[in-house]
Amino acid sequence: MFDTKMVERIGELKKERNAVILAHNYQPPAIQDIADLVGDSYELSVKASQTEAEVIVFCGVHFMAETAYILAPEKTVLLPEKLAGCPLADTITAEQLKEFKQEYPSHAVVTYVNSSAEVKAESYVCVTSSNALKVINSLETDKILFTPDKNLGMYLGNKTEKEVRVWDGYCITHERVTVEEVKRAREEHPDALIIVHPECPPEVTRLADEALSTGGMIRLGAETSYDKIIVGTEMGLIYRLSKENPGKEFKLLSPGLVCPNMKYITLDKVVESLENLKGQVTVPDEIAVKAREALERMISVPSGD
Ligand code: CIZ
């Protein structure tokens, strides 16, 4: 089927199934274009918890679909490609987190939303990069165990007065960005603003002009007076930034900023998923109940970095 036929078919199936399509900012252009909402994990979680649709097609990776199910267990949540995982989420298991907690029993566990449902269930609160600092500063305790992303955790540790101990996980895509790439971008584009994601290594975030979540990058893209912006996050965001700000130039900081997991979902997989309700994601009740508490604490703190 040609793309236009598939887009039409998706429209028909959406009506038949009473479905909503949510797509992460890192999804390929064709998927962003058919989505009802394109956003970061915070925005997509809020939408999942509030939608009146009966079916949620989640175009992203597995933990995002799981999060949608935990927040809206009465809905059918579909992930059109089951291989779409998150290597960062896989860097910690619930068992490992239990051991980490035993080592630091007086610390509160703050978990990045890029984590499994089981890990969320062992956490006090979840965060996204857009509200992590606000969440940490809102907690009564001064001692934080941050999982699983060490780079985001160290970034937050430098921004807060609190003690932040980090788990040794990282995003393989953001971890690849180097200091040399930032220096080269500065030399080649002295008139540009350089923004990076806080999942990048600390030496990279230190050299950039700003470290921001994808939601923060979208806001900055619209508001900045710079007309050239070098972007240090997954390439999918460049499409949205360029589409929403046609007068500005957005360039990818590093050719390595491609997450293969975010590219698995295609239009034909969305059609197949909606036709056959293929790729349903669920979470056992006992895990979902505890994970929901941590996610609801996250959602109660507004995003905006
Ligand atoms: O929170 C998210 O959606 C991710 C993975 C990155 C970001 O900064 O939006």
Side-chain angles (χ1 to χ4, degrees), residues 76-100:
T76 300
V77 178
L78 304 174
L79 178 67
E81 170 52 68
K82 69 172 191 284
L83 287 177
C86 173
L88 167 60
D90 294 341
T91 60
I92 187 165
T93 63
E95 281 313 306
Q96 287 172 311
L97 178 51
K98 281 183 197 162
E99 284 168 25
F100 196 33

Side-chain angles (χ1 to χ4, degrees), residues 24-26 40-42 63-64 112-114 128-129 197 199 213-215:
H24 191 267
N25 283 328
Y26 294 155
D40 63 14
S41 298
Y42 184 93
F63 78 82
M64 298 177 180
Y112 195 24
V113 71
N114 300 38
T128 63
S129 28
H197 197 278
E199 287 176 26
S213 71
T214 60

